[in-house]
Amino acid sequence: MPYNPDGENWVDPGLGGFLESAGYPADVYGPEWGKQKVPTLRNVDLRPSKKFVKAYGHNGYFKSLEEIIHFYNTRDVPGAGWPTPEVPVNINTTQMGNLGLTTVRSLPSSRS
């Protein structure tokens, strides 16, 4: 039996799917359908070396800070080319998309 028989048609139900499988009723798991726990980006570039590849996002899709910041900036911008969300009902449009974030090339040293 294949690990993922639905292939690209598989929809990740996120927290809602977990709650459903744990036996919670529909009024509990329904509002959580498609929600994902996404790690913070605070201090994410603290890594053992520059060659150490990190993964960002709830599923590790993005492999650099630049990639995930580009996603955060353009996710809700029409024509940006991102695929349609699997579960669009729970998309946070008040705190995400078209954020106007920029790349920081160097930070001033905080050491005295």
Side-chain angles (χ1 to χ4, degrees):
M1 178 173 192
Y3 181 71
N4 180 5
D6 293 336
E8 291 183 13
N9 295 321
W10 181 73
V11 173
D12 186 350
L15 178 58
F18 169 78
L19 293 173
E20 179 185 34
S21 69
Y24 286 87
D27 64 323
V28 172
Y29 72 76
E32 308 305 323
W33 203 259
K35 289 184 179 179
Q36 305 289 337
K37 177 82 172 168
V38 180
T40 180
L41 292 181
R42 182 176 293 221
N43 296 325
V44 296
D45 203 31
L46 299 177
R47 53 191 169 170
S49 71
K50 290 291 181 187
K51 292 182 179 182
F52 184 83
V53 177
K54 296 195 77 171
Y56 305 93
H58 78 278
N59 59 2
Y61 176 80
F62 301 101
K63 301 301 182 205
S64 72
L65 283 172
E66 289 80 11
E67 288 178 6
I68 197 160
I69 296 301
H70 174 69
F71 172 72
Y72 286 160
N73 275 337
T74 62
R75 186 198 74 187
D76 297 331
V77 177
W82 295 107
T84 305
E86 295 173 348
V87 182
V89 68
N90 288 323
I91 293 178
N92 175 350
T93 58
T94 59
Q95 297 170 317
M96 295 291 296
N98 204 11
L99 300 178
L101 300 173
T102 59
T103 303
V104 175
R105 294 290 176 205
S106 63
L107 296 173
S109 175
S110 61
R111 299 177 187 162
S112 339

